[in-house]
Amino acid sequence: MADRPLPQLPPLLDDATRTLERAAAPTPPPEPRRRRARPPRDEGTPRRQWSAGHALVVSVLALALGLLLNAPGIHKSAFNKPAGWERDVALAFTGPLAGISDALLLDRPREGIQALVGRSGADEIHTDLGIPSPSPASPTRPAPAARPKPEPTRKLAFSPQKKLRIWIAGDSLVITPGYAIVRAAGASPAIEAVGSVDGRVATGLTRPDVFNWFDEIRRQVKKLRPRAVVLAFGGNDDKAYMTGVPKGTELGDFGSWSWRKEYGRRVGGLMDTINRAGAFVIWIGLPQTRSADQTRRFDVVNAVAQRQARKRAGRAAYIDTYTMFAGDDGGYAQYLADGSGRLEKVRSDDGVHFERIGGDMIARLVLKELNKEFDLTSWRKKPNA
Amino acid sequence: MIEGLFTGWGEPAPLVTSGVLAAILVGVGSQYLPARIPRLVMARFSRLPVLGQATVLAFSLMLTSALGPEGVAPFIYFQF
Amino acid sequence: MLFPTATFGLFFLVVLPLSWLTMPWPHRWRPFIIAASYVFYSWWDWRFVLLLAGCTIWNQVLAVRIWQARVPSQRKGLLVLALAGDIGVLGYFKYYDFFVSSTDNMASLVGLDLPLSLKSIVLPVGISFFTFMAISYVVDAYRGDFQPTTLEKFAVYLSFFPHLVAGPIVRPAELIPQIATPRNPRRVDTSRAFYLIATGLFKKVVIANYLASSIVDEVFAAPGQHSSLEILIAVYAYAVQIYADFSGYTDIAIGIALLLGFSFPQNFDSPYAAVSVQDFWRRWHMTLSRWLRDYVYIPLGGNRGGTILTYRNLLLTMLIGGLWHGAAWTFVVWGGLHGAALVGERWWRDRRGVAALPHPGRVAALARADPDLPLRLPRLDLLPRRLVRRGVGDDRGALHGVG
């Protein structure tokens, strides 16, 4: 306390009184020993004190006006909520709110600021998937830029002069492995990671309204021209509700036949988009998690993705993290022993995400897969390489 | 990381944007702001009528929401 | 419930009027605010509430016993018991896995295979903060500085939702007297409260998040893939990010408490304008610094035992401060570096008789003394692992031919 005598001024902090709010200190604190003289706090016009009722009125008014000013953003957040009564209630409120805000032009300042920082359209809700239409499982035309046939003898060769361009995208589960892959790619002279690791928390393929990955991936493969794309999706897709479902399609419960069909269409559609841009797909499957229920749901998502990858043999590969991260008993494990028996923390405390070492384990498998698909080493044998 | 501080000069730095530099400048610069400026702002604010105060606050909420990310930003100090 | 969420907004709009309406009757207000705080805390996990309640009862019972006990040895025994309980709980939740994996790895280095098992314990939010507040309550009772209050008031003190999950770490003598008597509803410093909440939100949601997503996360995750300029700017960006994130959050906490009529101590005072490491710690997470001073540094002997002992105490205090931040060796090293810097500064001051290192201009001081660089060290995540093993490397060597 300020008034407790200290034997000597300790060097760590010598003026306890400065840590107290001036308003709260009952007695004026002694002037602390400081190099810079500070003016007393309460110079100039004093602040007017108000009543508690005033605080409440100002808070309510500010929030009400704030709701109107931010209505488009709030409506989008409500739309992006997980399906359920909370979303229904929120939408019943935010829909009219956005209408009023628009009619009173109160949404314009927000639009203006977003335009100023280059985020125009951030509040728009856009659920069109635009994935290659008829039967995504068997494209009628062969992918133009893709390699003709997956012949192990005729692998596409890359070298330090002509590096294999890889790009990484997905939900939050891709972030740690993604950066591990980038580090691993940096250590290989024939691989180059292009763009940033595009890991977006709380997104997936079921809810293009939250984030439209179909648009994003189409745009990025065109811009970055990768020859291999590493994807990890599904961590947030273990739910029945989807947006962007074609008209006339009835979705059943999570894991039902119709759900699997629609989800498969999305996974396959993404793979085709990438294949048609001339790139190979590496799909990182979901790991088991601390929750047994979640793990069971992830099984369903994994089965769909694995099936889609298998259908595209030579153009897509599936990496099974499920068994890779199993403990001695086959179940979830937060720590795994490495080669020398040291325990390493591979999963984060939330029981779902990966720790850095877990990411490195996945990166090693991804690199192995890339080496299987592409020739990344023969340049070493050439004398002028 | 530390060796990278010395070995990669002259390479392109696409992540160093004017926005990032401005945010750092605001973050560091605000700490050299004389204490009387926030005091003055608070005193002026306290003299506004109720509606004026609510409007100022609503616009600051709008600014934060329009510039902020979608969803809740994670909080570093929660692990403690 | 996080402060910058709609859920908290609704919660607060209900709690604010109810708190003021019940305020004139403390016997109504206190149960109400305890209930509100427990609801706030249970939003994460209802089981955490049991821990908070247990911690409240444990410390209250022992603080009262300590205060009543007359025999010094008995008082000391009770204090040790209380602290063992508090530190034991904190240690179990926060450090168990760290301790077990470190012990196991050390044992395996010498060829031992210990039968230890890891538990994947979930860390209750804010446990480090409320445990420290509970410790200050018990120690203040032991020192005779603060007479233990009633269980109800202590429960408000410990669980009061504005400070519950991320501080500031408020002392008993600061908050309990405010809890004891009704706050004046006619004189509320609303402008300061709104200012702190609005700027805190902006710092936390805009500045911290923008820097994290634009540069920091990417560069820190794969430094080998970025140029020196990017790494340098990312290091500074992280300094600003962590300041904006944490100070923004505690500013909101202080503002919310003010609207409810309570004043909390300041937690940040422009730390990057500090002119020395010591000055930095006076300005950064101030309520933790003074806690460490009063409950670690001074009990260790402070600066009363001569030069060498003072240096040792500084170093130990900062090591404990480092470990408080997280269960990892990087935090221990971080605390060690800060301790060493404080010792170095003190040594310099003792020799030269100046208060702090000379500084050629403020901005230069930030770059040179760089008091917060070690704050970013835990982020680098390079310490023990890098020393022990090199897996998929992040060497720039491959890119630059120097490694």
Side-chain angles (χ1 to χ4, degrees):
Chain A
M1 266 311 291
D3 49 353
R4 187 150 59 79
L6 294 175
Q8 256 182 287
L9 289 177
L12 190 61
L13 269 170
D14 57 11
D15 47 348
T17 47
R18 283 184 63 255
T19 64
L20 278 173
E21 265 312 297
R22 298 307 187 267
T27 48
E31 194 55 40
R33 183 167 54 89
R34 294 291 307 248
R35 286 169 63 85
R36 288 174 298 131
R38 294 197 152 206
R41 283 259 164 143
D42 42 11
E43 60 165 13
T45 27
R47 285 199 291 282
R48 182 170 165 192
Q49 308 280 304
W50 290 84
S51 69
H54 168 90
L56 184 66
V57 172
V58 171
S59 304
V60 171
L61 283 176
L63 281 176
L65 187 56
L67 282 178
L68 283 168
L69 289 170
N70 285 316
I74 292 169
H75 182 56
K76 189 179 181 195
S77 318
F79 195 91
N80 291 345
K81 273 179 166 304
W85 67 269
E86 285 179 55
R87 179 172 189 258
D88 299 340
V89 170
L91 281 176
F93 169 72
T94 60
L97 185 79
I100 297 169
S101 169
D102 184 44
L104 297 175
L105 304 181
L106 285 172
D107 53 0
R108 300 304 190 273
R110 182 177 163 100
E111 268 173 36
I113 290 173
Q114 284 176 332
L116 213 64
V117 293
R119 286 173 59 177
S120 294
D123 293 337
E124 281 165 24
I125 300 167
H126 170 50
T127 59
D128 187 21
L129 306 187
I131 46 179
S133 30
S135 167
S138 50
T140 43
R141 294 170 286 136
R147 293 164 305 107
K149 279 260 164 191
E151 289 170 33
T153 44
R154 294 250 335 257
K155 287 203 266 187
L156 215 55
F158 293 92
S159 65
Q161 285 74 39
K162 186 193 161 206
K163 293 186 183 197
L164 168 66
R165 297 165 67 83
I166 64 166
W167 178 60
I168 301 149
D171 56 25
S172 59
L173 276 167
V174 88
I175 297 173
T176 306
Y179 285 117
I181 297 165
V182 170
R183 287 192 298 273
S188 162
I191 307 177
E192 181 187 11
V194 292
S196 326
V197 173
D198 200 354
R200 290 174 195 262
V201 177
T203 62
L205 305 183
T206 51
R207 296 295 300 268
D209 55 313
V210 174
F211 184 76
N212 196 319
W213 275 108
F214 305 91
D215 270 1
E216 169 81 357
I217 286 176
R218 204 175 309 117
R219 223 180 16 246
Q220 294 291 354
V221 290
K222 207 170 153 193
K223 190 177 117 194
L224 299 169
R225 293 175 291 102
R227 296 307 299 257
V229 175
V230 181
L231 297 178
F233 286 110
N236 305 304
D237 289 337
D238 56 337
K239 292 159 191 90
Y241 184 69
M242 296 195 205
T243 53
V245 180
K247 280 213 173 70
T249 305
E250 277 290 314
L251 272 198
D253 291 339
F254 171 77
S256 63
W257 182 82
S258 56
W259 190 96
R260 286 169 189 252
K261 188 167 177 236
E262 174 61 15
Y263 195 70
R265 186 178 82 90
R266 294 176 185 217
V267 172
L270 273 192
M271 290 177 171
D272 288 343
T273 304
I274 294 165
N275 286 160
R276 284 177 190 193
F280 184 80
V281 177
I282 294 181
W283 191 282
I284 302 176
L286 297 167
Q288 37 185 328
T289 70
R290 191 184 283 141
S291 148
D293 285 343
Q294 189 181 38
T295 304
R296 264 195 296 280
R297 294 194 301 274
F298 280 9
D299 284 342
V300 174
V301 178
N302 278 341
V304 175
Q306 196 163 9
R307 195 176 131 83
Q308 293 296 330
R310 210 177 292 139
K311 275 186 184 177
R312 290 167 182 75
R315 288 177 286 140
Y318 176 87
I319 287 188
D320 174 23
T321 61
Y322 191 93
T323 38
M324 192 197 314
F325 286 92
D328 293 342
D329 58 354
Y332 173 80
Q334 189 153 17
Y335 290 77
L336 289 178
D338 69 2
S340 59
R342 281 170 54 88
L343 278 177
E344 295 281 17
K345 192 173 183 185
V346 293
R347 303 294 293 276
S348 67
D349 291 332
D350 62 13
V352 179
H353 292 92
F354 299 107
E355 283 287 323
R356 191 177 161 119
I357 292 192
D360 288 341
M361 287 165 61
I362 295 175
R364 252 171 256 143
L365 269 199
V366 168
L367 254 71
K368 212 164 154 187
E369 205 61 53
L370 288 174
N371 274 295
K372 227 191 281 174
E373 277 308 314
F374 302 100
D375 168 9
L376 301 171
T377 46
S378 66
W379 60 272
R380 289 180 193 274
K381 294 170 197 145
K382 293 176 191 157
N384 57 347
Chain B
M1 177 115 186
I2 289 166
E3 70 199 61
L5 268 175
F6 304 103
T7 54
W9 286 101
E11 287 176 30
L15 294 181
V16 181
T17 58
S18 51
V20 164
L21 293 177
I24 295 176
L25 209 68
V26 169
V28 176
S30 68
Q31 312 202 14
Y32 289 96
L33 209 65
R36 68 190 150 78
I37 291 178
R39 260 202 323 273
L40 201 71
V41 171
M42 286 186 255
R44 286 269 167 83
F45 179 89
S46 75
R47 314 241 151 232
L48 290 176
V50 170
L51 263 182
Q53 296 194 355
T55 309
V56 170
L57 283 178
F59 269 88
S60 90
L61 278 180
M62 191 268 290
L63 198 69
T64 301
S65 161
L67 296 177
E70 289 172 36
V72 181
F75 180 48
I76 300 176
Y77 261 73
F78 263 153
Q79 55 180 312
F80 302 136
Chain C
M1 232 184 276
L2 284 165
F3 289 157
T5 56
T7 319
F8 180 76
L10 286 175
F11 169 84
F12 191 61
L13 277 187
V14 173
V15 170
L16 179 65
L18 287 180
S19 171
W20 282 110
L21 285 175
T22 51
M23 185 67 85
W25 303 276
H27 65 281
R28 288 185 201 163
W29 179 78
R30 281 181 216 131
F32 164 73
I33 207 74
I34 293 171
S37 299
Y38 276 47
V39 166
F40 172 84
Y41 196 45
S42 68
W43 224 257
W44 275 279
D45 191 330
W46 65 270
R47 285 165 300 185
F48 292 174
V49 167
L50 301 178
L51 184 72
L52 180 59
C55 179
T56 308
I57 294 168
W58 172 259
N59 285 286
Q60 173 65 14
V61 168
L62 283 161
V64 171
R65 287 283 175 88
I66 289 170
W67 185 264
Q68 288 165 345
R70 287 283 154 260
V71 187
S73 63
Q74 196 188 356
R75 288 160 54 79
K76 198 158 209 166
L78 287 166
L79 176 73
V80 168
L81 182 66
L83 293 181
D86 289 334
I87 296 167
V89 168
L90 186 62
Y92 176 76
F93 282 102
K94 199 163 172 174
Y95 304 105
Y96 179 87
D97 276 3
F98 170 67
F99 174 77
V100 168
S101 63
S102 296
T103 313
D104 195 64
N105 286 338
M106 254 180 249
S108 72
L109 278 182
V110 292
L112 280 173
D113 192 12
L114 298 177
L116 294 169
S117 67
L118 294 154
K119 295 194 174 177
S120 311
I121 298 156
V122 178
L123 180 68
V125 174
I127 187 171
S128 313
F129 289 93
F130 69 71
T131 309
F132 269 26
M133 286 182 53
I135 289 175
S136 64
Y137 183 71
V138 176
V139 174
D140 282 3
Y142 173 77
R143 289 174 177 167
D145 288 344
F146 190 84
Q147 179 173 3
T149 178
T150 60
L151 175 64
E152 197 183 48
K153 281 183 225 162
F154 177 60
V156 177
Y157 163 75
L158 210 59
S159 68
F160 194 40
F161 69 88
H163 70 60
L164 182 59
V165 297
I169 302 168
V170 191
R171 292 151 188 269
E174 280 164 359
L175 190 53
I176 291 173
Q178 297 189 61
I179 294 167
T181 53
R183 307 286 86 210
N184 183 354
R186 280 177 200 83
R187 285 186 62 78
V188 182
D189 195 353
T190 57
S191 10
R192 179 154 188 275
F194 288 134
Y195 177 85
L196 286 172
I197 294 171
T199 53
L201 271 175
F202 188 82
K203 280 198 274 189
K204 159 106 197 68
V205 177
V206 180
I207 305 253
N209 202 79
Y210 175 73
L211 287 173
S213 58
S214 310
I215 186 164
V216 175
D217 287 350
E218 216 177 310
V219 171
F220 277 72
Q225 304 308 306
H226 293 93
S227 63
S228 296
L229 181 65
E230 280 175 325
I231 294 175
L232 184 70
I233 296 298
V235 167
Y236 278 99
Y238 186 58
V240 172
Q241 182 202 337
I242 195 166
Y243 163 75
D245 190 66
F246 192 19
S247 79
Y249 204 89
T250 46
D251 279 358
I252 301 171
I254 296 169
I256 283 167
L258 266 181
L259 285 183
L260 293 166
F262 294 84
S263 99
F264 279 179
Q266 193 182 354
N267 215 16
F268 287 86
D269 180 17
S270 305
Y272 294 155
V275 293
S276 65
V277 181
Q278 181 186 347
D279 192 29
F280 174 76
W281 279 107
R282 284 192 205 113
R283 295 153 164 268
W284 176 276
H285 202 176
M286 293 149 77
T287 55
L288 174 69
S289 300
R290 62 174 197 186
W291 192 96
L292 289 173
R293 179 199 60 194
D294 291 350
Y295 301 105
V296 180
Y297 179 75
I298 290 176
L300 281 172
N303 52 4
R304 281 161 295 170
T307 314
I308 297 297
L309 281 178
T310 304
Y311 292 170
R312 182 206 68 175
N313 296 341
L314 275 173
L315 209 56
L316 275 176
T317 305
M318 292 317 287
L319 279 174
I320 289 169
L323 203 54
W324 177 86
H325 278 83
W329 286 106
T330 42
F331 284 109
V332 177
V333 173
W334 169 73
L337 283 177
H338 267 287
L342 283 171
V343 167
E345 230 174 60
R346 200 177 160 78
W347 174 79
W348 177 272
R349 195 178 71 183
D350 291 346
R351 259 170 63 101
R352 296 298 178 95
V354 288
L357 290 170
H359 58 99
R362 292 282 159 68
V363 179
L366 182 71
R368 175 187 46 79
D370 202 4
D372 62 303
L373 175 68
L375 261 184
R376 291 169 241 143
L377 191 64
R379 240 348 259 260
L380 300 190
D381 197 19
L382 46 68
L383 270 148
R385 212 170 292 141
R386 244 270 183 92
L387 294 174
V388 179
R389 50 179 280 169
R390 295 175 84 93
V392 182
D394 53 354
D395 331 46
R396 290 189 67 84
L399 273 178
H400 295 280
V402 292

